[in-house]
Amino acid sequence: MAYILAIESSCDDTSAAVLNNRFLLSNMIAGQKVHELYGGVVPELASRAHAQNIVPVVHTALQTAGIKKEQLDAIAFTRGPGLMGSLLVGVSFAKAMSLALNIPMMEVNHLQAHVLSHFIQTQDYDHAPEFPFLCLLVSGGHTQILRVNAPFNFEVLGSTIDDAVGECIDKAAKIMGLPYPGGPVIDRLAKNGNDSRFKIAKPHIANLDYSFSGLKTSFLYLVRDGLKTDSGFVEKNLNDLCACVQKAIIDSLMDKLVLAVKQTGIKQVAIGGGVSANSLLRQTIQEYADRYGWQAFIPPFSFTTDNAAMVGIAGYFKWQQKQFCGLDAVPYARA
């Protein structure tokens, strides 16, 4: 039995979690609304907020878990990728606490943590895939199809050659004048829209790679041409525009995922990353699973966005293998 404290500070959410082996005892998150004023995350403001939030967030995580800091066996922390200033706060705090308690640390790759979030156990959730499985990793900065052979044995089968899916969604939202973050807004408005009202060009990229820059440009031209004839085009057609762009993006994702299943023969299919919170994507993954005989693994909403629980489960697997890191570990911004 191991009590692991996990710290996540890669972007604009300060999060701390406590796990007992794979079982989640607490998962606390402090968000940062200040970025809404600027239409995106401001790195300097994010790092300052992390510095303010990390002590109370860790304290609350321990208190909610019902354990004292002296009972901890190890600390897991996000080393990267992410915003350098934000990562520095979490990494520095983890090092200080490791020294104070004389316990080991495990560095965690943020993207691997998203994939491994399926192995978290709670009272209401215990639905882990078996190795190997496929994972569609979709976030603001990454879009990949991965073959996961073991906890830290990942094979990239396909990746975006330009924009990530989350970037494409946020840029589409910005074109329509929607607030940041745009993903949840588009998801909500699309539920009342006609997804076949407008035609948006879909990319045609070889193999299992993705491209979303052309799709984004096609949508931009659609809105621009509409505004030429009607200044109220976006407002009058907002739900339909959201539905069409969301459908085009998810259709592109699924086309390559179907091909990946055919090429590998692996029918255990998981999704992970912030965009896996999208309701249409979650629904579509399950529909495809029912249609093609896949076994779908869809994480709870609380494990889709940046959170320390997923860092903790990745740390647990490293704890099992005694893959500890030293005080010389430094954060990295890119994968």
Side-chain angles (χ1 to χ4, degrees):
M1 184 175 70
Y3 286 117
I4 297 173
L5 171 68
I7 296 171
E8 155 62 21
S9 67
S10 64
C11 191
D12 61 336
D13 287 329
T14 311
S15 182
V18 179
L19 286 81
N20 181 358
N21 290 348
R22 287 174 51 201
F23 193 84
L24 182 65
L25 301 177
S26 65
N27 187 31
M28 313 309 299
I29 303 174
Q32 301 177 7
K33 289 188 175 295
V34 64
H35 306 288
E36 295 176 4
L37 299 172
Y38 303 95
V41 177
V42 181
E44 178 62 25
L45 295 178
S47 58
R48 290 180 186 181
H50 282 302
Q52 294 173 339
N53 292 336
I54 193 163
V55 171
V57 167
V58 169
H59 174 76
T60 305
L62 289 169
Q63 193 174 50
T64 303
I67 70 168
K68 298 179 180 179
K69 61 181 181 296
E70 290 80 11
Q71 294 176 261
L72 293 173
D73 295 291
I75 299 175
F77 64 91
T78 301
R79 185 179 172 190
L83 300 176
M84 186 58 71
S86 296
L87 290 166
L88 276 168
V89 175
V91 172
S92 299
F93 186 91
K95 289 180 180 180
M97 202 162 184
S98 171
L99 278 172
L101 298 175
N102 193 29
I103 56 177
M105 299 184 298
M106 293 84 70
E107 59 170 286
V108 171
N109 179 291
H110 180 83
L111 302 179
Q112 292 180 348
H114 271 302
V115 177
L116 296 174
S117 65
H118 293 277
F119 293 87
I120 300 169
Q121 292 179 336
T122 71
Q123 289 184 342
D124 303 316
Y125 181 79
D126 187 7
H127 186 53
E130 296 180 357
F131 299 107
F133 65 93
L134 297 181
C135 184
L136 176 63
L137 180 62
V138 280
S139 71
H142 299 85
T143 301
Q144 296 177 326
I145 298 177
L146 304 169
R147 175 182 170 132
V148 187
N149 299 309
F152 302 107
N153 183 341
F154 294 71
E155 182 182 351
V156 179
L157 303 181
S159 184
T160 181
I161 62 174
D162 42 56
D163 289 350
V165 64
E167 292 173 322
C168 184
I169 292 173
D170 283 339
K171 288 174 182 177
K174 194 168 185 178
I175 290 169
M176 292 183 285
L178 299 177
Y180 174 87
V185 181
I186 287 182
D187 190 13
R188 174 173 54 83
L189 294 174
K191 292 176 181 178
N192 296 315
N194 178 358
D195 61 19
S196 60
R197 171 86 182 281
F198 301 108
K199 184 177 181 180
I200 300 173
K202 289 172 58 178
H204 298 281
I205 306 298
N207 303 318
L208 296 176
D209 288 331
Y210 289 106
S211 171
F212 292 100
S213 64
L215 190 154
K216 176 195 66 182
T217 302
S218 175
F219 184 70
L220 174 63
Y221 287 164
L222 169 65
V223 173
R224 184 199 65 181
D225 292 344
L227 290 172
K228 285 180 180 178
T229 57
D230 183 358
S231 61
F233 173 77
V234 172
E235 291 78 7
K236 294 175 182 177
N237 301 283
L238 186 57
N239 290 344
D240 293 344
L241 287 168
C242 289
C244 289
V245 71
Q246 180 175 256
K247 181 69 159 50
I249 290 170
I250 291 175
D251 282 351
S252 297
L253 289 173
M254 297 307 301
D255 287 347
K256 294 302 178 80
L257 190 57
V258 169
L259 184 58
V261 172
K262 289 181 179 179
Q263 289 184 0
T264 63
I266 298 172
K267 292 191 175 183
Q268 289 196 110
V269 181
I271 56 173
V275 181
S276 64
N278 180 276
S279 63
L280 181 61
L281 177 58
R282 297 167 74 89
Q283 174 187 327
T284 304
I285 286 283
Q286 190 58 60
E287 289 175 352
Y288 274 59
D290 295 339
R291 184 187 310 169
Y292 295 112
W294 303 350
Q295 188 175 5
F297 296 87
I298 303 170
F301 283 105
S302 57
F303 300 151
T304 58
T305 56
D306 295 346
N307 67 92
M310 67 182 192
V311 177
I313 193 65
Y316 167 70
F317 285 121
K318 289 202 169 186
W319 164 268
Q320 282 189 314
Q321 301 174 17
K322 299 189 183 302
Q323 294 184 18
F324 306 131
C325 68
L327 294 172
D328 57 346
V330 294
Y332 53 88
R334 294 176 179 268

